[in-house]
């Protein structure tokens, strides 16, 4: 049984860049050749993969976001983190974390329930 749970602020201002955290139980984020991904779904839109960190610490980002995104991990808490800079209303979305064997959404077998992040001013 693998479980993922997102946590973080529900409301953020454009000047703020607080991290979202994904807490994983039932699996280690540093073993098993897994990809640990962040995905988001803006209102009325489809799922959008935005980045991952692998079990080995390799990081990859969606090209359109790479200048303002940072994914990291806290292995002591079995968490991986997402931080976005220079956020706008376009970043308002439900943010999910998920486990998979690759970047593709179809390869992700365990998902968190998601958390809504609303950007306001």
């Amino acid at each position: 049984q693998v479980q993922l749970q997102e946590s973080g602020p529900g409301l953020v201002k454009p000047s703020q860049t607080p991290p979202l955290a994904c807490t994983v139980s039932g699996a280690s984020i540093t073993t098993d050749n897994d990809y640990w991904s962040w995905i988001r779904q803006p209102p009325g839109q489809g799922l959008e993969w935005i980045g991952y960190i692998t079990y080995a610490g390799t990081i990859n980002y969606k090209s359109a976001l790479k200048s303002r995104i940072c994914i990291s991990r806290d292995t002591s808490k079995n968490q991986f983190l997402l931080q976005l800079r220079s956020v706008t209303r376009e970043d308002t979305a439900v943010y999910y974390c998920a486990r998979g064997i690759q970047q593709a959404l179809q390869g992700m077998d365990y998902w968190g329930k998601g958390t809504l992040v609303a950007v306001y001013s």
Side-chain angles (χ1 to χ4, degrees), residues 6-11 19-21 115-117:
E6 303 89 349
S7 62
L11 299 173
L20 297 177
T115 186
L116 176 64
V117 177

Side-chain angles (χ1 to χ4, degrees), residues 79-105:
Q79 293 180 334
F80 61 105
L81 311 172
L82 169 67
Q83 195 165 15
L84 282 174
R85 301 183 299 276
S86 302
V87 295
T88 70
R89 291 191 63 184
E90 297 296 315
D91 297 307
T92 293
V94 176
Y95 284 75
Y96 299 91
C97 55
R99 187 193 78 168
I101 60 172
Q102 60 185 45
Q103 174 180 330
L105 294 177

Side-chain angles (χ1 to χ4, degrees), residues 5-61:
Q5 185 174 63
E6 303 89 349
S7 62
L11 299 173
V12 298
K13 292 184 176 181
S15 61
Q16 298 175 342
T17 57
L20 297 177
C22 181
T23 301
V24 178
S25 61
S28 172
I29 64 172
T30 62
T31 60
D32 300 321
N33 298 310
D34 291 323
Y35 288 53
W36 301 94
S37 293
W38 286 100
I39 307 96
R40 68 182 182 182
Q41 186 171 30
Q45 302 182 39
L47 295 170
E48 176 190 13
W49 174 86
I50 58 177
Y52 66 63
I53 184 167
T54 73
Y55 72 101
T58 301
I59 299 170
N60 196 16
Y61 305 126

